[in-house]
Amino acid sequence: MKTPLIRLAKREGMDKRTVWAIRVGSILLALLLGALVIAISGVNPFKAYGTIITGALGKKTAIRQTVKIAVPLLGCALAIAPCFKMRFWNIGAEGQITAGAIAASYFALYWVGKVPSAVLLLIMGAAGAVAGGIWALIPAFFKARWNTNETLFTLMMNYIIIGVVKWLQGGPWEAPPSGSQMIAQFADNAKLPSVLGVHCGWIIVLVLTVLMFIYMRYTKHGYEIAVIGDSSNTARYAGMNVGRIMMRTMFLSGSISGLVGFIIVSGANHTLYDGVAGGVGFTAISVAWLAQLNPFAMIIIASMLAVLTKGSQTLNTRMQVPSTIAD
């Protein structure tokens, strides 16, 4: 056969020096291209990059805002990691976050004063986890029972639950006056307490990071997930119930995403609205893949993306760089 002029193939067995050289070179090239775009807009790229760093890490208030951005990114990346390890493409974390936020918001709005603050927060967190888990379980059941396409199924589930929030905003949960299309702010006893100037959600996700590392690396469930990811036929041959493992793993994934939804509404936003997930469910896919599904590496990746996000906002406000270029 005639050899084609251009052929793309995956290279196997590269040494670590080559791998790291490619990574560093990619970052440098990205910085160079970014500098070119910034320079075309009429701004000194060196000053711009300096502004991004100082805007995200220059002051205590900036650091706190950066941490607030990183917390849901890390939490959601941890949520989708076991699914992706299993080669179950969960693109519905956005909806699972929203489902958890709805459940947590119900108790924040209607159980205030009925139970102590600590108990209320525990109930909100548990409700968010269960709701997110159930929302993720639906596409998992269809996948296990009828082998539906999980990518499309989970993606479409996002828009359904966002529609539910829009209905709540303009319907039964609408705050006065009529037509406001807004849900009331939470009472103080339904808000997560602060630790070192940031809501304690950052402690929750760090604990989840350790637990997820142990779960995926040292437990039977983690081993089953890895086997299915390598070959579902091999897993079946070994006697594993692949469908049940898929549903169990997706429920876990959705539960963590739902817990992230609780953290967002109770720790950051203090209310519920249709954009509550804010694209976290999609950005977290990048965090998980860049970290190669390693929970501890996700801390670094989520922090880097949070710095870029917060820094780009400062770039827009401090140096008048257009928001499209800053983004």
Side-chain angles (χ1 to χ4, degrees), residues 64-183:
R64 289 167 183 166
Q65 291 300 316
T66 302
V67 171
K68 285 182 180 180
I69 295 171
V71 165
L73 276 178
L74 175 57
C76 195
L78 293 170
I80 62 177
C83 298
F84 280 27
K85 183 75 172 179
M86 192 174 57
R87 295 295 190 266
F88 188 107
W89 310 118
N90 179 15
I91 314 298
E94 194 89 355
Q96 293 146 28
I97 289 171
T98 305
I102 293 173
S105 296
Y106 169 79
F107 290 98
L109 294 171
Y110 297 103
W111 278 46
V112 172
K114 296 182 179 180
V115 293
S117 178
V119 175
L120 177 60
L121 289 171
L122 287 174
I123 292 172
M124 289 168 62
V130 171
I134 292 173
W135 199 250
L137 193 59
I138 297 171
F141 171 77
F142 275 78
K143 174 70 174 181
R145 183 69 178 81
W146 293 290
N147 197 31
T148 54
N149 186 304
E150 72 275 13
T151 305
L152 293 176
F153 205 128
T154 53
L155 181 64
M156 290 188 292
M157 293 284 285
N158 294 333
Y159 301 105
I160 295 172
I161 199 68
I162 289 172
V164 172
V165 178
K166 289 181 178 180
W167 169 69
L168 291 171
Q169 284 181 184
W173 290 5
E174 185 181 35
S178 179
S180 67
Q181 294 287 313
M182 294 176 63
I183 294 172

Side-chain angles (χ1 to χ4, degrees), residues 7 19 27 42 45 90 103 114 123 134 142 168 179-180 187-188 192 211 221 280 293 317:
R7 183 175 67 91
V19 171
I27 293 172
N90 179 15
K114 296 182 179 180
I123 292 172
I134 292 173
F142 275 78
L168 291 171
S180 67
D188 288 342
L192 281 175
L211 293 177
H221 288 186
V280 167
L293 306 182
T317 56

Side-chain angles (χ1 to χ4, degrees), residues 65 139 194 215 237 265 275-276 284 287:
Q65 291 300 316
S194 295
Y215 178 79
Y237 183 78
V265 294
V276 64
V287 175

Side-chain angles (χ1 to χ4, degrees), residues 185-222:
Q185 289 280 314
F186 294 174
D188 288 342
N189 59 349
K191 298 176 182 177
L192 281 175
S194 295
V195 178
L196 300 178
V198 183
H199 62 76
C200 64
W202 66 271
I203 298 176
I204 297 173
V205 295
L206 287 179
V207 171
L208 282 175
T209 302
V210 177
L211 293 177
M212 183 56 71
F213 178 81
I214 295 171
Y215 178 79
M216 293 182 66
R217 186 69 65 88
Y218 297 110
T219 67
K220 178 186 175 183
H221 288 186

